[in-house]
Amino acid sequence: AQSVTQLDSHVSVSEGTPVLLRCNYSSSYSPSLFWYVQHPNKGLQLLLKYTSAATLVKGINGFEAEFKKSETSFHLTKPSAHMSDAAEYFCVVSDRALTFGSGTRLQVQP
Amino acid sequence: EPEVTQTPSHQVTQMGQEVILRCVPISNHLYFYWYRQILGQKVEFLVSFYNNEISEKSEIFDDQFSVERPDGSNFTLKIRSTKLEDSAMYFCASSHLSGAGGPGDTQYFGPGTRLTVL
C-alpha cells in the first residue's frame, strides 16, 4: 500500500524568502509523485510531477521538487515566496489511484 | 487550455434525496475519476472509469454511489440516498493515458462541487 506524509500542516514565510514544504512517501513500487496546489475556492492544479526521469523536477510558478529515494522524500521548494503562493499544497503518490497527503497550508506574510 | 468543468458548484440537498453531480472531462481524455474531500480531511479516491466501466473503486464507493458516462462528453456521479456524512467537496478528474496511474499520467481536476446534506 502506498501512503504520503506531509510533515507540516501549516508553514508561514515572509514574501521573498525561501519555501520548503516537506513530503515523505511510502510505496511498494517505483512511484509517480506529484504536487498539487489548491487556492481558496478553486480546484486542484498540478504544480509538478516526478515519473522516474530526472530526480530534480521543475514545475510551474518557480516551484521545484527533488526525489530522494534513499530518504523516501519529495520536498517542494521555491527560492522566493510570492503573496500569490498562499494556498494549500498536496503531495500525491500514484500507483493505481492517487493517494493524497493531508496538505500543507502555506501562508505568505508581507 | 482545455479544462475539466463541474456543475453545479454548490448543491444543497435533504438527507435521503438523490443527487447527481456532473463533470465534463477534457475532450480527448479516456480515464475519468471522482474524489471527495470532507471538510478538514484528505482528498480521497472514490472511483475510476474507463471504456464505460468502473476500473477501480475504493471502499467508500458503496452501493449508494454510481457513475455513468451518458453521452460523449458528460461523466456523472450519482448518490442515491444522501446521508449527512456525504457532505463534502467532490472533485472530478480526467487523464489521457492509463487509468492505472502509471508513469507519465497526469490527472487534471475540475473545480469541485460542494455538496451539503441537511
Side-chain angles (χ1 to χ4, degrees), chain B residues 2-58:
Chain B
E3 56 183 24
V4 177
T5 59
Q6 291 184 243
T7 54
S9 55
H10 291 88
Q11 174 90 49
V12 180
T13 190
Q14 296 291 326
M15 193 168 57
Q17 295 296 304
E18 175 183 287
V19 294
I20 297 176
L21 310 183
R22 290 183 167 79
C23 169
V24 178
I26 294 173
S27 62
N28 66 342
H29 284 187
L30 303 175
Y31 296 85
F32 315 114
Y33 314 84
W34 283 101
Y35 293 81
R36 79 171 184 192
Q37 185 182 28
I38 295 171
L39 190 64
Q41 297 186 25
K42 290 185 184 186
V43 177
E44 300 171 291
F45 168 74
L46 292 178
V47 65
S48 59
F49 190 86
Y50 169 71
N51 198 25
N52 283 320
E53 286 185 345
I54 290 174
S55 48
E56 191 149 2
K57 60 182 181 179
S58 71

Side-chain angles (χ1 to χ4, degrees), chain A residues 2-6 23-26 91-93 99-101, chain B residues 42:
Chain A
Q2 57 191 18
S3 66
V4 172
T5 302
Q6 291 185 244
C23 172
N24 286 102
Y25 70 91
S26 171
C91 183
V92 180
V93 62
T99 299
F100 281 73
Chain B
K42 290 185 184 186

Side-chain angles (χ1 to χ4, degrees), chain B residues 57-96:
Chain B
K57 60 182 181 179
S58 71
E59 59 192 25
I60 303 168
F61 194 88
D62 61 21
D63 292 345
Q64 292 286 85
F65 292 91
S66 62
V67 288
E68 194 178 32
R69 188 155 161 82
D71 53 43
S73 59
N74 289 283
F75 179 52
T76 62
L77 174 69
K78 182 192 292 185
I79 309 174
R80 286 190 185 79
S81 177
T82 49
K83 307 185 195 75
L84 295 176
E85 54 265 36
D86 294 327
S87 295
M89 180 74 93
Y90 288 81
F91 291 105
C92 174
S94 69
S95 65
H96 180 58

Side-chain angles (χ1 to χ4, degrees), chain A residues 60-82:
Chain A
I60 61 170
N61 301 334
F63 285 95
E64 60 183 40
E66 186 170 7
F67 173 73
K68 291 186 176 179
K69 188 174 181 178
S70 60
E71 298 176 11
T72 60
S73 69
F74 190 58
H75 301 333
L76 182 70
T77 59
K78 182 172 179 176
S80 176
H82 226 261

